[in-house]
Amino acid sequence: MLPSFANQTIDVVRPKTTTTSRGSAVPDWSDTKKTTVTGCSIQPASTSLSQDGRVLGINDSWTAYVPEGTDAKAGDRIEFDGQTFEINGAPRKWTGPSRTSHIQLNLVRREG
C-alpha cells in the first residue's frame, strides 16, 4: 500500500481498437477507454534535451507509483496535470513481505 501522501489522481488511457498503417496494426487513439486511478504518487525522474540538427526536442520523464491492481501496460497513455505521458516499458510490481504493495510506471513525454 502506498503511503497517505500518495494523493494524486491519474487517468490511464488505452485504445479500444487498432488500425492498419503500412501493413502493420497500430493503436487507434481516436477510440479510447479511460480509467481514473486515485491514490497515486507522481514524481519527476529526468529531463533531457535532444538536438539532431533539425529539431530541438525535450524528453521529460516521470515516475508514477500507483496502487496494486491498477490495470496499466506498456504503451498505454497517462493523463496527469493537463499533460499526456506514455508508459515507457513494462509496469513493475513492488512487493512487500506478503503481497504487491504498488506498481511503478515509467512515464515519458516528448516535445519537438
Side-chain angles (χ1 to χ4, degrees), residues 8-70:
Q8 295 165 307
T9 300
I10 64 170
D11 289 315
V12 179
V13 182
R14 179 176 296 158
K16 292 179 185 177
T17 60
T18 60
T19 187
T20 302
S21 176
R22 299 182 199 168
S24 297
V26 295
D28 180 0
W29 290 102
S30 68
D31 185 21
T32 60
K33 173 187 174 192
K34 186 182 288 192
T35 305
T36 299
V37 181
T38 60
C40 304
S41 177
I42 315 300
Q43 303 299 324
S46 67
T47 187
S48 64
L49 189 62
S50 170
Q51 187 173 5
D52 68 1
R54 297 174 293 135
V55 177
L56 182 65
I58 296 173
N59 293 323
D60 192 19
S61 298
W62 292 70
T63 303
Y65 300 98
V66 300
E68 64 177 306
T70 298

Side-chain angles (χ1 to χ4, degrees), residues 78-99:
I78 300 296
E79 294 177 352
F80 171 71
D81 198 25
Q83 299 182 27
T84 301
F85 300 87
E86 183 176 319
I87 298 176
N88 187 21
R92 296 185 176 191
K93 294 181 180 179
W94 286 53
T95 55
S98 61
R99 64 179 175 84

